Amino acid sequence: PDGMLNAQSIIKKWPEYKETSLISLPNLSRYLNINSLSIKHEGDRFGLGTFKALGGRYAIEQLLKNGDLQKGDTVTCATDGNHGRGVAWAAKNLGLKAVVYMPSHVSLERSDYIERLGATVIRINGNYEDALKECTNQSNKQKWVLISDTATNEDVSVPRLIMNSYSIIAEEALNQMGS
């Protein structure tokens, strides 16, 4: 809980932070025969169309704060699209370089978007796990900092930071529902 509360406190201080909308779905709730149903609309989060911008930015900021990253360093990740978008955006805004690994089957639209954010995109034949494996190998070889949202047996610290940042979505929703 302390990690989540810390993440929420820090994220609320970001200049571009604002709560995303909670949208009520009364027709669907009637159809499902439940009292109410609402969804969070994360499409407006930082103009990136994904809640995953929270995780990459928060994790990278914490690594910078702790001295595990320096301005000008390279961060890397594997993605099918959204996590890479968030990491590329964070790197651009925090003075870092980003290398993003993607499976080759992912749409060019997704990789182009990440490249427009300043990241280098490397497409890998295979699936997400293949992209993550190559990303991890190159990260170790090149001394890049891996910003993975997937926990491994070796290290869960960055994925934990990322997951803590996502707790702000639930906190926002609870506040918006008046809980």
Side-chain angles (χ1 to χ4, degrees):
D2 289 342
M4 291 185 284
L5 294 174
N6 185 55
Q8 292 167 19
S9 172
I10 289 170
I11 291 167
K12 287 179 183 178
K13 294 175 187 166
W14 293 350
E16 56 282 273
Y17 170 77
K18 66 177 185 165
E19 285 188 358
T20 56
S21 302
L22 184 69
I23 301 169
S24 177
L25 302 172
N27 293 339
L28 185 55
S29 63
R30 277 192 297 279
Y31 176 79
L32 295 171
N33 198 28
I34 58 176
N35 288 337
S36 66
L37 179 65
S38 299
I39 60 168
K40 286 287 280 173
H41 176 50
E42 290 297 308
D44 294 335
R45 186 74 69 184
F46 308 124
L48 293 175
T50 177
F51 73 91
K52 292 206 172 185
L54 291 162
R57 165 90 177 257
Y58 178 69
I60 290 170
E61 278 189 354
Q62 294 308 296
L63 294 171
L64 284 164
K65 178 183 167 190
N66 297 338
D68 297 316
L69 260 175
Q70 306 294 321
K71 296 279 184 183
D73 283 352
T74 299
V75 294
T76 188
C77 69
T79 189
D80 282 325
N82 290 330
H83 178 61
R85 185 180 293 190
V87 169
W89 174 76
K92 178 181 178 181
N93 288 311
L94 297 171
L96 302 165
K97 299 172 195 143
V99 178
V100 177
Y101 287 79
M102 300 180 81
S104 58
H105 70 269
V106 174
S107 73
L108 287 175
E109 178 183 40
R110 287 182 176 212
S111 62
D112 289 348
Y113 192 108
I114 292 168
E115 287 176 335
R116 284 194 303 275
L117 290 169
T120 300
V121 173
I122 299 173
R123 296 174 75 81
I124 300 295
N125 288 327
N127 58 23
Y128 171 81
E129 286 76 19
D130 297 319
L132 179 58
K133 183 178 180 181
E134 183 60 21
C135 176
T136 302
N137 289 340
Q138 289 302 313
S139 172
N140 292 331
K141 186 185 291 185
Q142 303 294 334
K143 305 288 188 237
W144 296 337
V145 177
L146 180 61
I147 309 298
S148 180
D149 60 350
T150 304
T152 65
N153 292 336
E154 295 130 25
D155 188 11
V156 298
S157 60
V158 170
R160 182 173 287 131
L161 289 170
I162 291 170
M163 293 303 127
N164 284 339
S165 75
Y166 296 160
S167 72
I168 199 164
I169 298 167
E171 195 251 351
E172 289 174 3
L174 289 170
N175 288 339
Q176 291 166 323
M177 291 186 295
S179 297

